[in-house]
Structures are given as C-alpha cells and as structure tokens.
Amino acid sequence: MFNTDRRYWGWGVNGNAFPEPMLQLARAFLTAKFGTAPAAQRPVPSLDALRMNAPTLAVPAALAAFVTDARYDRAVHTYGKAFRDVVRALDGDFTPAPDLVAYPRDEQDIVALLDWAARAGAVVIPFGGGSTVVGGIEPPREAGARRAGVITLDLCRLDQVLDIDRVSRCARVQGGVYGPALEAQLKPHGYTLRHFPQSFEFSTVGGWIATRAGGHYATLYTHIDDFVESLRLVTPAGVLQTRRLPGNGAGPQEERLLLGSEGVLGVITEAWLRLQDIPRHRAGCTVKFADFMAGAAACRELAQGGLFPANARLIEREEAMFMGAGDGQNHMLVLGFESARYSQIDRLQAALAVCAAYGGVAGKSNVRDDSDAASADASAEQWKQSFLRAPYLRDELARMDMVSETFETCTTWENFPVLDAAVRAAAHAAMQRECGAGLITCRFTHLYPDGQAPYYTVIAPGTAGRQLAQWDAIKAAVSGALVAHNATITHHHAVGRDHRPYYLQQNAPLSLAMLRAAKAAVDPQGIMNPGVLLPPDQD
Ligand SMILES: Cc1cc2nc3c(=O)[nH]c(=O)nc-3n(C[C@H](O)[C@H](O)[C@H](O)COP(=O)(O)OP(=O)(O)OC[C@H]3O[C@@H](n4cnc5c(N)ncnc54)[C@H](O)[C@@H]3O)c2cc1C
C-alpha cells in the first residue's frame, strides 16, 4: 500500500541517488579537510537481510482492508530520517519495527483502529511522511512500553484538498497530503501554502502541524502555526474540531494546545489552512561578509527594521563551499524578497544598504525582479533542486563511515555570541575525542526581531561500527551547551524521543503537568505514541 520506491534505510526514493560527480567533489573536500579519504560506500542491506522480530499482533479481521504486517511496510515505518536512523538501518537493525501498519481510507477507519487498539492494549503511532529527525515515529524498543504490540497509522491515503474558501483565502486539507501534492492541488486556483521545509517532498501537512515545522522563509510566516486556522483531531476519547476564526481572544487558543502535540494527543485528520497568492515578483542577491558576526549584526538590523526578507540565510564560508556555493573566503548571506503584487527591488536595495553598513559586499549581477512568472518559476526550480538534493548527500556520507548530522536551536541576539562559542567548543572537544577531528559550521535559518535560529552542521571522520556512539557523544556535548546557555533544544525539528530528556529539563514542571493532564483527558489509556514528548511511564 506504500510507495515501494521509498527507501527503508534513508532519505527519499530509490534511483534518486546523489549525483556521482558532486559526490566526488564532496570526497575531495573531506580528504583535504581531514587528511584521509572517506571509506568506500558500504552496501545497503537487502529487505530479506534486515533483523526484524516477528509481529506480536495478528492483523484483525475487521480491519484487514487497510492493515498489513508485510515486511516492507514494517521496515519503512521503523525509523525516521536522522543520521542515527540511517546508521542503524545500514546495520540492518530493524528490531523496533511496528507489528502492524495501517493505511486508513477515511476518518471512520481511524476511529475503528483507535477503538481496536484501546481494546487490544496496543500502542498507536501516527505517521505522516516519516521525515522526523528526532525519533518521532520510532516504536519503543522495550517490551513493557510496546504493551500488546505497536501499530503505525500512516495517513498517506488522506491526501486531498477538500475545500477552498476563495473569499477568506483558506483551504480545508487532509492531514496526510504531502507537500508537492498539496501545492499541485492549490496551484490551479492561483494559491500556495508557501510552507517549504527542506523535507517538503516527503513530509505531510499533519506532520508539519504535529511538529510545528518551520518553513524555508526567514521572516514573518515561518512556522506552520501561522497558517493553521482550525484543526480536526481524532483522539481515543472522541473527535475534537476547532472553529474557523482568524483571531480568537476567548481563553487559551485550542489550536495552540494541539500544534506540536507530536501524535501523543491524537491524529490530525484535517486542517483549515491560510493560503497566499503565488508570488510573481522576486528580487534576490547574495552578499559576502568577511566576518560572520558582522553578517549576524546585519541580519539583526534586517529583522528589526521591518523589511521582512523572505530569505535571509547567513551561511558560514566552509558550509557554503561544501554545498557548492560561495568562494570559501567569505561568509554568504542569501537574501531574497518576494510578493504576489508589488515589485521588490526597492526593498532589496534598502536591505543591501543595511548590509553595506556592516561591510557586506553585494554580488553585482544577482539583483533582479522576476515579474514574469516563467522566469520566476525557473529560478525557484533551480533553488529547489539543490536544496532538496542535500539529504541524499548526508546518507552517502553515512555509508562512507562519516559522522554527518545537523542540529538547530533558537536564541536571543544578545545571547548568540556566547552560545555560539560554547557550542563550537563543546563540538570540537567531542569531535576530537571521538573522531580525532571534525568540522562544525553554522547558518541562520530564521530571523526574528529578538533573535535568530542558528542551524549547525557537523561532519567528522567516523569509524565503522562506532558511528552511532560517536554521534551520540557529540550530540550530548552540544545539547549540554544549548541547555547551559538557555537556548532551546529545538527551534523546528521537534522533541520526539531523542530530545525528550532535554525538553523535560528545559520546561517548567507545571507546564509538563498540564501536558500530562491534557493527554489523560483525550488518551486515558496512554496508547498514543508513548515515549514521545513524555516518558512512557508517565503517559
Ligand atoms: C532532510 C530533512 C530536512 C528537514 N527540514 C526541515 C525543515 O526545514 N523544517 C522543519 O520544521 N523540519 C524539517 N525536518 C524535520 C521533519 O521533516 C519535520 O518534523 C516534519 O514536519 C515532519 O513531517 P512528517 O509528515 O514527515 O511527519 P512524521 O515524521 O511522520 O511524524 C513526525 C511527528 O508527528 C506525528 N504526526 C505525523 N503526522 C501526524 C498526524 N496526522 N496527526 C498527529 N500526529 C502526527 C508523528 O507521530 C511524529 O511524532 C527535516 C527532516 C529531514 C530528514
């Protein structure tokens, strides 16, 4: 029932590998950087070779039309898409696989499944695109936490835009629709959601809402939160439908309780989403900075000055070069403005003046105003391709025994320099200890008037058989620095199982008690995604 081209071991689909010439460039860069060439790519284990336990649940006769225990379906729903997932998959370790996978056709199927799971004492894991990088859809390993068994509920058949309100410019959308299918259904109407996380191709509306995803745009509408007008959630205790309101001052906002609930409260089956007109006017430019902190100061002024660039990605020089952009000498600010209605050249020029005041040197020929839709689409497509290819490279690096992963956070402008120094010191010490060397680079993904979201990339020469332990040690070190300096454990990657200890540490005990109380109200038997957000024994 699932697209059998989807990889069970890594990102994306079979046959869509990272291009070999670009892989050779990456190899050359890493060889020069670390003094030794990365290992040859190790083979991917076949489906038959995966280590997987026999299912502890039989497919219930009443649900047989949409539930399976097939090996491929169980494998492809075992892990998310983090580096640690890829490494375990390459090792053939699929022991946490769900016992059953359900592909409900409609909301009635979901209600029937939750009823059956509650009676059977089974655990239910909502699954969108499975692009989580924090263990959000990974079944528990411990027998106690698995209870009678684990059933993963994949929403891929709930993939429709059901209704469009042109007057209010909103759409009613099913939770299982993937990014490209959503945009394809909106485009004929002249609309876009304009929410483009890097994982756009293989993630869903329900997943974005459940994780409070951050899109590609740097300012203003960045989180999916901004686009959610109302929600529909199927819980073990019944269906919760919030009302369509552009604003609502009556008590705590219901949608806010559900956004970021990561499958522990119920299944998001539908949402009314706020749309935008398709942008036609664009103006963009890259700006070089010799000093990263000068670039950061320019970003702060841009964020506080009310220009609201759609794109303002400050990328450290080595990262830009590794991704095939930049000159390796300068840090790079990728700056872009867009609008459906108005030319953006004036805004771009105002932003370039801000950058110049901090020593930023604008690339000459990149200033443009794509008021004709054809060329705007072509350039958007070019950007999209290089952006979407990056995850395939990460998986190839894992196959070469490298340690290669990202982590992200958010902090105030005032706190950034101290935090950044602490994160780099922790990363370097851990990489040196674990791998003998390593590279950490930073880029800003989102800007706010009071702070920014730094996104770090780590690459280190790993050791076959030790990659997981090496990354876990580096991650623990950098997470410790984030916590010590009061930066969030995640700006948009969510909590899942992996960030749970830090989330519990960072949030007030009373907030967590409120979350537990909310869960007890809608999921009294604690069957929904135990171990995510809260520890299993408190679910
Ligand atoms: C290469 C790569 C790039 C990424 N880039 C970004 C990025 O730019 N911005 C960003 O925010 N994140 C990013 N992520 C992380 C991930 O894509 C997001 O967390 C995304 O929102 C998950 O959506 P999904 O549909 O894949 O959800 P899944 O991975 O399937 O699930 C994630 C969590 O949501 C729950 N869930 C999923 N669907 C539902 C539903 N319908 N109802 C209730 N609960 C549900 C699951 O139980 C799980 O806890 C990236 C990940 C990768 C691998």
Side-chain angles (χ1 to χ4, degrees), residues 62-129:
L63 309 181
F66 65 95
V67 175
T68 177
D69 61 0
R71 192 171 175 81
Y72 172 77
D73 297 77
R74 294 178 64 212
V76 84
H77 291 90
T78 302
Y79 292 125
K81 301 299 175 195
F83 170 75
R84 57 193 327 280
D85 299 326
V86 176
V87 171
R88 289 179 295 173
L90 288 172
D91 286 344
D93 173 13
F94 281 72
T95 46
D99 297 289
L100 302 175
V101 179
Y103 299 97
R105 298 156 295 187
D106 52 30
E107 205 171 276
Q108 285 70 39
D109 282 350
I110 296 177
V111 171
L113 184 94
L114 295 190
D115 284 350
W116 176 83
R119 284 197 306 277
V123 158
V124 177
I125 301 179
F127 184 104

